[in-house]
Amino acid sequence: MFQRLQSIEERYEKLNQLLADPDVINHPAKLRDYSKEQADLEKTVSVYRKYKKTDAELKDAKSMLDEPLDAAMKEMVHDEIARLEADRSALEEKLKKLLIPKDPNDDRNVIVEIRGAAGGDEAALFAGDLFKMYSRYADEQNWKTEVIDASPNEIGGYKEVVCMITGKGAYSKLKYENGAHRVQRVPETESGGRIHTSTATVAVLPEMKDVDVELNDKDIRVDRFASSGPGGQSVNTTMSAIRLTHIPTGIVVSCQEERSQIKNKEKAMKVLRARVYDKYQKEAQAAYDSSRKSAVGSGDRSERIRTYNFPQNRVTDHRIGLTIHQLDQVMNGKIDEIIDALIMNDQTKKMEQANAG
């Protein structure tokens, strides 16, 4: 571990030199890449240097015990040693976490797709509730939420809603939401007061750029149609809605939220790029040894990950056994406690895998 940290520090120093080089300064692409690399290494280097300083101070303190000291001074040295050992241990744990390989998509914006699954209208209402939950959470994070496509039903829910959430680190936090979400509650339409169980699925995809996924125009069929609202009524008589079909994969994306055909196509392309990337990634990982994957974060969308029990004001994340009796707050976007626990669990699993390897 410390050889790796030493290499990281040396690379950081090299980047400092490169960023002062006139050839690099006059080359915008290199300047951007080197600056980003340096920024990514900065925290690790800072903690490593603090670790080395603490370790040196600890060695000096221990060496003082070889000298003749009175009882009071010896007690002070022992207290100092205990403090420095605790600090060094804490810094070492921090370094282990910093060395966990970072998901290259963590800083990206996300495309969130929510669909009502089992449960008919109640599932569609729950899909709408999940959309509100993520929108409110995004507001708390100072992120921007923008609807790309939506299929509302007549009673205020969504058969499907696709949105983009824009903000630094959005994928790093929302990627754990992939999966089937189950709700247990008494529907408004239920006169007998019986609890029903319904589900909605959530897919979280990192936004991809042109350089990440190359899509050839000849592989994409573009269809134009008039926008429509709930029940099929016309919202826009102009042919502004766009449907894109990626012929090699069969993936279809629609967007009708903007009045401009160009804007709808631009949004639809973002979703198409993300879905195609996701499909190819899933295929590439299909043969990957499942024991090498983290238990959380595999993104299996058939997996039931969470239950929202309204009568008991309870939400349970089944992957980590976390139960919170504040469902009302969770549905209002207060999901930090769940996400933080999932991140911690994921990091612990990855550290265990690294140590086993």
Side-chain angles (χ1 to χ4, degrees):
M1 180 176 97
F2 291 104
Q3 286 181 341
R4 190 172 161 202
L5 286 164
Q6 187 60 40
S7 297
I8 289 171
E9 185 179 34
E10 288 169 2
R11 176 59 181 168
Y12 182 81
E13 288 299 329
K14 178 65 176 175
L15 288 166
N16 278 339
Q17 296 172 19
L18 288 168
L19 289 169
D21 187 327
D23 289 340
V24 173
I25 293 170
N26 294 322
H27 196 298
K30 280 185 178 179
L31 185 63
R32 182 188 64 243
D33 291 345
Y34 288 151
S35 296
K36 184 181 184 307
E37 186 183 355
Q38 187 197 46
D40 290 342
L41 298 179
E42 192 165 8
K43 187 171 183 180
T44 303
V45 171
S46 174
V47 175
Y48 178 49
R49 286 174 174 171
K50 188 180 280 189
Y51 174 90
K52 288 196 296 183
K53 181 175 181 288
T54 303
D55 188 55
E57 289 174 357
L58 178 60
K59 286 174 181 172
D60 288 343
K62 285 181 175 179
S63 69
M64 289 179 68
L65 293 175
D66 296 331
E67 301 172 10
L69 302 170
D70 60 35
M73 180 60 75
K74 189 172 286 189
E75 185 179 353
M76 284 179 60
V77 172
H78 278 296
D79 288 346
E80 181 70 0
I81 288 171
R83 182 187 69 79
L84 290 167
E85 283 179 338
D87 288 350
R88 186 180 67 170
S89 180
L91 289 166
E92 187 170 341
E93 285 303 307
K94 201 169 185 180
L95 286 168
K96 285 178 182 177
K97 288 181 182 178
L98 287 168
L99 287 177
I100 294 172
K102 188 182 177 186
D103 186 332
N105 294 323
D106 272 354
D107 288 336
R108 292 182 187 255
N109 304 326
V110 295
I111 292 160
V112 180
E113 303 177 345
I114 307 168
R115 296 179 178 86
D121 284 343
E122 175 62 14
L125 284 172
F126 182 49
D129 290 339
L130 289 175
F131 171 62
K132 290 173 192 170
M133 180 182 80
Y134 293 128
S135 298
R136 289 164 181 162
Y137 176 69
D139 288 343
E140 295 265 344
Q141 305 296 314
N142 293 317
W143 297 338
K144 177 186 173 186
T145 302
E146 189 177 10
V147 174
I148 291 176
D149 193 27
S151 301
N153 68 356
E154 291 79 0
I155 59 173
Y158 289 99
K159 297 171 187 173
E160 176 184 22
V161 57
V162 180
C163 67
M164 172 166 280
I165 296 179
T166 306
K168 186 171 175 59
Y171 185 72
S172 70
K173 294 191 173 183
L174 291 174
K175 64 183 176 183
Y176 302 101
E177 296 303 296
N178 273 321
H181 296 240
R182 181 175 71 170
V183 63
Q184 295 172 327
R185 64 184 174 187
V186 179
E188 293 177 15
T189 55
E190 172 59 61
S191 58
R194 291 175 298 178
I195 296 173
H196 284 225
T197 298
S198 307
T199 57
T201 61
V202 176
V204 179
L205 311 175
E207 182 191 11
M208 292 292 131
K209 308 294 183 185
D210 291 338
V211 294
D212 301 311
V213 181
E214 186 178 344
L215 297 178
N216 294 321
D217 289 343
K218 65 181 179 61
D219 291 335
I220 301 172
R221 187 175 73 240
V222 181
D223 298 309
R224 297 165 178 82
F225 59 99
S227 300
S228 61
Q233 76 261 28
S234 177
V235 172
N236 186 349
T237 54
T238 62
M239 303 291 280
S240 62
I242 290 289
R243 183 185 299 109
L244 303 179
T245 304
H246 186 243
I247 297 166
T249 61
I251 293 172
V252 180
V253 175
S254 300
C255 182
Q256 57 179 338
E257 294 303 306
E258 301 285 348
R259 292 187 177 276
S260 161
Q261 188 181 106
I262 293 172
K263 287 184 179 178
N264 279 330
K265 185 177 180 182
E266 185 180 311
K267 285 186 176 182
M269 278 297 295
K270 288 181 179 180
V271 179
L272 183 64
R273 202 173 287 117
R275 285 188 187 171
V276 170
Y277 174 84
D278 183 62
K279 178 178 173 60
Y280 289 154
Q281 283 290 99
K282 290 285 187 289
E283 289 175 355
Q285 291 176 3
Y288 206 71
D289 181 0
S290 61
S291 67
R292 300 296 295 173
K293 290 182 185 177
S294 167
V296 175
S298 61
D300 182 355
R301 286 164 212 149
S302 65
E303 177 191 9
R304 189 190 72 203
I305 64 166
R306 198 175 295 149
T307 295
Y308 304 73
N309 185 298
F310 276 74
Q312 297 179 23
N313 196 34
R314 183 186 74 219
V315 58
T316 299
D317 195 288
H318 303 291
R319 295 165 294 178
I320 55 175
L322 175 69
T323 295
I324 299 172
H325 291 276
Q326 294 176 324
L327 177 56
D328 52 340
Q329 293 187 33
V330 167
M331 298 311 296
N332 204 33
K334 309 291 186 184
I335 57 176
D336 274 312
E337 185 177 346
I338 299 173
I339 288 176
D340 289 347
L342 288 164
I343 291 172
M344 181 64 70
N345 181 270
D346 192 23
Q347 288 181 340
T348 301
K349 295 284 184 186
K350 286 175 179 174
M351 283 175 66
E352 287 173 357
Q353 288 176 0
N355 292 336

